[in-house]
Amino acid sequence: MAFDLTYDPAVIEYIDPEEGSFLSRNEPDSTNFQSALENGTQGKAVFGLTRLGGGEVSGSGTLLTLHFKAVGAGTTPISLSSPKKFMNGANPSQEVSIDSWEDGSITVQ
């Protein structure tokens, strides 16, 4: 899966990601997680996470946790863009459906 996340850098600053354990289930398959600020500038972060080896996982769990720091008062939308669907490792031609991607907001007082 992959997605971009946009936010107002005058309100929050992206610090770092923490990969969840969901895709690491049923070892020995490992994962590859990449994230970066677009053009090295606060305001848009790009994420990609995949399970290597093609093993299967099911159920629910945490994919990632994103850490931010408050830098100014206000409200910022948190918008997901360019979402890519999950691919089924056991059958790469079959996408795993995602019901919805939901945006949100953060308020700093």
Side-chain angles (χ1 to χ4, degrees), residues 10-99:
V11 178
I12 58 174
E13 179 180 299
Y14 173 66
I15 303 298
D16 62 14
E18 181 181 337
E19 184 179 348
S21 62
F22 180 71
L23 289 183
S24 299
R25 292 181 186 179
N26 305 331
E27 297 289 338
D29 294 331
S30 60
T31 60
N32 183 357
F33 175 59
Q34 303 289 320
S35 71
L37 292 173
E38 185 174 74
N39 299 319
T41 304
Q42 290 286 338
K44 185 173 186 179
V46 180
F47 302 90
L49 176 61
T50 188
R51 181 178 168 102
L52 305 172
E56 295 184 26
V57 295
S58 63
S60 61
T62 301
L63 289 172
L64 23 123
T65 301
L66 307 177
H67 300 273
F68 294 88
K69 178 174 92 173
V71 294
T75 297
T76 178
I78 301 294
S79 301
L80 297 166
S81 59
S82 303
K84 306 295 187 286
K85 292 185 176 185
F86 290 91
M87 300 303 292
N88 182 337
N91 183 356
S93 65
Q94 178 185 18
E95 290 184 343
V96 176
S97 66
I98 298 172
D99 292 332

Side-chain angles (χ1 to χ4, degrees), residues 3-14:
F3 65 94
D4 299 344
L5 183 103
T6 56
Y7 55 93
D8 183 351
V11 178
I12 58 174
E13 179 180 299
Y14 173 66

